Amino acid sequence: MAADKPKFYITTPIYYTNGLPHIGHTYSTIVCDTIRRYKRMRGYDVVMTTGTDEHGVNVERAAKQAGVSETEFVAKMAADWRALWDELGIQGDEFIRTTDLKHAHTVQWLFRLCRENGYVYKGHYTGQYCIYDNAFVNDAKPGDNCPDCGRPTETITEENYFFKLSAFQKPLLDFYQKNPGFIQPDTRRNEIISFVEGGLKDLSITRTTIRWGIPVPGEEPHVFYVWFDALTAYLSAVGGPQYEGRGYWPADVHLVGKDIIRFHTVYWPAFLMAATLPLPKQVWAHGWFLMAAAKMSKSKGNVVLPRPIVYVLGMDALRYYVLRDTVFGQDGNFSYDALVTRYNSDLANGLGNFASRTAAMIEKNFSGKIPKPGSLQPQDEALTKEIQAAIGEVLERFDKCGFSLALELIWSLIAAADKYLASEQPWALGTSDTDAQRRATILWTAAEALRVVTVLAHPVLPDSTARVWTLLGQPGHVGSQDLDGLRWGQLKPGTPLGKSQTLFPRIEKAEAIERMEAMENEPQKPATAPAPGTTPGVAAAVPQSAPEKIGIEDFAKVEMRVGEIKTAERIVGADKLLKLTVDIGTEIRQICAGIAPYYEPDKLIGRKVAVVTNLAPRKLRGVESNGMIIAASVGPEGRPVLAGFHEDVEIGARLK
Ligand code: ME8
């Protein structure tokens, strides 16, 4: 019964609607979703809120540019955000829009409480304002650029309502001291404490120059300023003025990027203190995903989108990569190369291979039923002990948001179980009763190891662990398993295995990257759901068993010619690509090729290659590519080897 369970409330930032989610937003939402699933498996009644921040001058301008009303503009954007989270399976439990009526009521109520308690006054403010970041830039002079986004600031003077933030310096410092876990990680806490110790200026919380905002009742044309409005969304989502009825406030964790930590750990607790409302228990600030050492952001245009990754490798691969390859709290570099490497090594060769091998051997030797183990040998006991001992440690790591460390430990168990199978060699045993008994023990042990790691990995890999659960013929849903009750030895002999499952088909790296990059460059399309029951993208990653034959007339549509490479250079921010110019006889073409890790640019000059010349031009990492160089894809990594000629051939000659 949910009523008996302790409540747990977690939030993502309420994202701006001036673009669609990129990997940075997706990362925050994946982390929240992982914590949400983890907490549920530890017996909590969890609510996760996400949503959209829809007011402000940027929206006014964007709507005008699009030739639609603000209402129409934000409705479409919010629907797109929602649809993408749905498609990715990280939709949360509450989706709050700052244009929701219930949110407006909450903001107005919070303002009234702050005002009644004497923390709001009317004044004038003149300052440099960055319209892109929706913030006055402290200490900036006219003509200065915004230190965050580098764009020019504007001088604004207007009548504002002010919030007496200065009155909260001491209460905030006391609060941080009494609640040392409030700001995480510790480095951020130190930053915030020194910022607050440096003194707090009062904060303007309304605008008269902006039309598109929540009105201050009886004080029109004042509308609420973005942070007073946006932060309150966390409260609006779980009851607003009636928050006590639902019982989720105060929030347990506000998960944010480090860019907005100050708003969450200084402004927000001060607003709540002024209104005498309960304060959130923790704010966790994670680092940024970087692209070629710069913060990935919509304004810089250097973003990676989640959908191409999900379509090519599946959502679980993206979740695994972002949680495994970055230390939570620190910045991380996003790289397609590292993503596909992780996919192949940890998911396809690791979990996927271990699960299918184990199931196949049980299928073959025990008619698809979990065998009954016999007496244990020291090596069985060693594996048992290792796994049993790791369960508590994995949970501790999850509790501290040490996702990378938790996954490292889980994957060390998979490696140990794999090694156990390799050294025990159940396939090499004979048909005697003793051998059959030994084989049963080994395969039960392997299947039990698989069951335990599947439960532990579920918060990070919800889709594939559900499929392993089915494969193992286990009852119920893996997400409903009780992590606190997880013990070695609960796998019941005699359980029939379920339907065989495709987990993580191996994919050639070069091909995967090329497909993801090609999709990145396509205009963003509305969500098209992948086939039900499949991991999005995986179906496409599975080699088609019987490719359809084409007629000669179809082949003739492809125009291929001999070309000679004239220049070759690397592309900043795209470690895979080389930018080539290629003489194809009639003209010199610019072509991007995903061969940079394998060919030195200098050595390519003068080389004759086969070029597809009638391919529609496309952009790869923002660089136009007009044609394609033919290469063989060799080995499991898909190393490209350029096709060439053993005799001298004329530039521009057609390949037939
Ligand atoms: O700031 N790496 O919204 P926003 C990691 N509306 N995370 C990133 C990222 C990156 N490169 N880029 C964005 C706003 N994020 C306000 C918030 S809250 C009451 C109001 C994530 O759309 C990260 O969580 O700019 C960051 O804090 C958030 O998106 C900013 O989203």
Side-chain angles (χ1 to χ4, degrees):
M1 282 279 295
D4 308 330
K5 293 181 176 178
K7 290 189 160 47
F8 188 88
Y9 181 33
I10 184 165
T11 62
T12 74
I14 307 301
Y15 303 110
Y16 289 131
T17 43
N18 59 337
L20 283 173
H22 59 63
I23 289 293
H25 308 110
T26 311
Y27 175 60
S28 305
T29 313
I30 286 176
V31 170
C32 272
D33 182 70
T34 300
I35 298 175
R36 164 179 173 249
R37 290 174 194 270
Y38 170 72
K39 284 286 178 184
R40 286 206 172 132
M41 291 176 81
R42 298 219 54 187
Y44 286 83
D45 165 17
V46 187
V47 163
M48 167 178 150
T49 287
T50 189
T52 39
D53 187 353
E54 304 180 3
H55 288 125
V57 78
N58 283 342
V59 170
E60 272 178 31
R61 289 181 182 181
K64 196 165 174 195
Q65 212 173 12
V68 294
S69 68
E70 287 93 353
T71 313
E72 223 176 306
F73 180 81
V74 293
K76 161 92 176 64
M77 291 305 284
D80 285 351
W81 276 75
R82 239 179 147 134
L84 187 77
W85 295 147
D86 272 355
E87 187 187 336
L88 302 186
I90 48 177
Q91 58 276 69
D93 307 295
E94 296 288 341
F95 190 94
I96 186 80
R97 299 179 54 194
T98 57
T99 52
D100 286 342
L101 199 59
K102 68 174 179 187
H103 173 65
H105 288 153
T106 309
V107 173
Q108 291 167 344
W109 167 73
L110 185 71
F111 178 76
R112 189 163 50 73
L113 294 178
C114 293
R115 197 179 189 181
E116 282 168 4
N117 293 338
Y119 292 108
V120 169
Y121 63 93
K122 207 183 244 184
H124 281 91
Y125 187 87
T126 300
Q128 293 308 115
Y129 188 77
C130 173
I131 55 146
Y132 295 97
D133 294 336
N134 279 322
F136 276 104
V137 180
N138 287 335
D139 307 323
K141 297 178 297 306
D144 283 356
N145 288 337
C146 169
D148 285 338
C149 71
R151 287 186 271 210
T153 57
E154 293 177 12
T155 307
I156 292 187
T157 298
E158 59 174 25
E159 183 189 75
N160 284 178
Y161 273 100
F162 281 82
F163 176 79
K164 273 195 204 165
L165 188 62
S166 55
F168 290 92
Q169 183 185 28
K170 180 145 186 339
L172 282 169
L173 290 171
D174 289 347
F175 176 71
Y176 303 148
Q177 205 191 6
K178 278 201 207 111
N179 299 278
F182 176 64
I183 306 171
Q184 288 295 321
D186 290 347
T187 45
R188 302 272 164 238
R189 183 175 64 233
N190 300 337
E191 251 173 60
I192 294 296
I193 290 177
S194 23
F195 170 75
V196 175
E197 280 171 347
L200 295 174
K201 286 189 187 148
D202 290 349
L203 197 71
S204 123
I205 53 166
T206 69
R207 290 280 177 276
T208 48
T209 43
I210 301 174
R211 219 177 16 84
W212 182 240
I214 298 171
V216 181
E219 302 285 350
E220 291 81 2
H222 282 271
V223 297
F224 287 100
Y225 158 72
V226 67
W227 287 104
F228 196 86
D229 170 352
L231 289 159
T232 308
Y234 299 135
L235 193 48
S236 317
V238 287
Q242 283 80 43
Y243 69 91
E244 282 168 309
R246 282 197 64 190
Y248 291 98
W249 191 260
D252 290 272
V253 181
H254 288 314
L255 186 102
V256 298
K258 65 180 185 182
D259 45 333
I260 54 176
I261 179 98
R262 198 180 285 180
F263 306 114
H264 284 77
T265 57
V266 181
Y267 295 7
W268 184 223
F271 297 158
L272 293 166
M273 281 178 186
T276 61
L277 289 169
L279 269 50
K281 294 181 196 155
Q282 191 169 65
V283 177
W284 238 110
H286 64 67
W288 284 337
F289 263 107
L290 309 173
M291 249 339 243
K295 184 193 171 205
M296 195 185 288
S297 74
K298 282 174 269 198
S299 50
K300 289 205 191 90
N302 60 346
V303 297
V304 173
L305 301 175
R307 192 176 278 140
I309 299 171
V310 171
Y311 271 66
V312 176
L313 299 177
M315 184 58 181
D316 279 6
L318 175 59
R319 293 173 72 107
Y320 181 80
Y321 167 68
V322 293
L323 293 174
R324 176 70 183 84
D325 261 30
T326 42
V327 175
F328 190 63
Q330 295 177 11
D331 289 348
N333 262 307
F334 187 91
S335 134
Y336 279 128
D337 196 285
L339 163 71
V340 186
T341 300
R342 278 282 176 209
Y343 173 87
N344 278 329
S345 68
D346 295 13
L347 300 178
N349 288 351
L351 177 61
N353 184 43
F354 178 59
S356 39
R357 263 172 101 193
T358 305
M361 284 190 277
I362 293 176
E363 196 61 62
K364 180 166 168 224
N365 296 288
F366 298 97
S367 322
K369 288 205 174 117
I370 305 281
K372 187 169 181 326
S375 59
L376 299 184
Q377 296 193 0
Q379 56 277 34
D380 312 327
E381 277 166 352
L383 183 69
T384 305
K385 244 169 119 182
E386 183 177 347
I387 295 182
Q388 178 65 54
I391 295 174
E393 178 63 27
V394 169
L395 303 192
E396 266 177 42
R397 293 181 184 192
F398 270 124
D399 279 337
K400 292 185 195 143
C401 292
F403 304 109
S404 173
L405 293 173
L407 291 172
E408 192 180 314
L409 186 53
I410 300 171
W411 258 255
S412 77
L413 304 179
I414 298 175
D418 237 347
K419 203 164 145 206
Y420 165 83
L421 272 187
S423 68
E424 294 310 302
Q425 304 200 351
W427 54 87
L429 292 165
T431 50
S432 69
D433 280 359
T434 329
D435 275 6
Q437 185 62 259
R438 180 69 198 136
R439 189 183 292 112
T441 306
I442 299 167
L443 290 179
W444 179 87
T445 306
E448 174 60 346
L450 180 61
R451 186 190 68 89
V452 174
V453 298
T454 300
V455 177
L456 290 175
H458 177 73
V460 177
L461 302 179
D463 183 30
S464 40
T465 51
R467 279 185 283 130
V468 177
W469 202 246
T470 305
L471 176 69
L472 281 174
Q474 296 303 293
H477 191 274
V478 58
S480 318
Q481 299 308 301
D482 169 21
L483 275 173
D484 292 287
L486 180 64
R487 303 271 178 284
W488 179 270
Q490 294 162 326
L491 183 65
K492 285 204 184 78
T495 312
L497 294 184
K499 228 171 85 208
S500 91
Q501 304 282 323
T502 307
L503 288 167
F504 302 103
R506 276 191 70 86
I507 186 160
E508 285 187 356
K509 190 187 268 185
E511 182 205 331
I513 295 176
E514 181 153 343
R515 283 180 43 207
M516 289 186 282
E517 287 185 340
M519 277 184 77
E520 282 267 347
N521 291 307
E522 283 168 13
Q524 292 192 42
K525 294 196 190 89
T528 330
T534 62
T535 303
V538 165
V542 183
Q544 299 301 308
S545 48
E548 216 184 297
K549 300 244 188 315
I550 59 165
I552 186 77
E553 63 292 348
D554 283 329
F555 177 69
K557 286 184 197 155
V558 182
E559 187 188 272
M560 284 186 280
R561 293 190 182 274
V562 176
E564 186 180 281
I565 298 177
K566 292 292 180 196
T567 63
E569 59 182 277
R570 297 191 186 279
I571 300 175
V572 179
D575 12 332
K576 294 274 145 270
L577 292 181
L578 285 186
K579 186 164 84 179
L580 311 171
T581 49
V582 183
D583 183 351
I584 56 163
T586 46
E587 61 184 301
I588 307 246
R589 289 278 185 91
Q590 174 169 299
I591 300 177
C592 294
I595 56 174
Y598 306 96
Y599 287 93
E600 275 304 314
D602 286 356
K603 303 234 165 80
L604 287 171
I605 294 166
R607 184 155 172 169
K608 291 211 170 123
V609 286
V611 183
V612 179
T613 50
N614 63 341
L615 202 63
R618 59 196 175 135
K619 279 199 166 167
L620 294 174
R621 291 299 171 90
V623 182
E624 173 139 331
S625 183
N626 194 358
M628 191 169 85
I629 311 272
I630 303 283
S633 177
V634 179
E637 294 300 296
R639 177 170 62 90
V641 175
L642 294 178
F645 306 92
H646 293 299
E647 292 160 48
D648 196 22
V649 280
E650 196 184 320
I651 295 171
R654 176 126 195 222
L655 274 75
K656 294 185 179 174

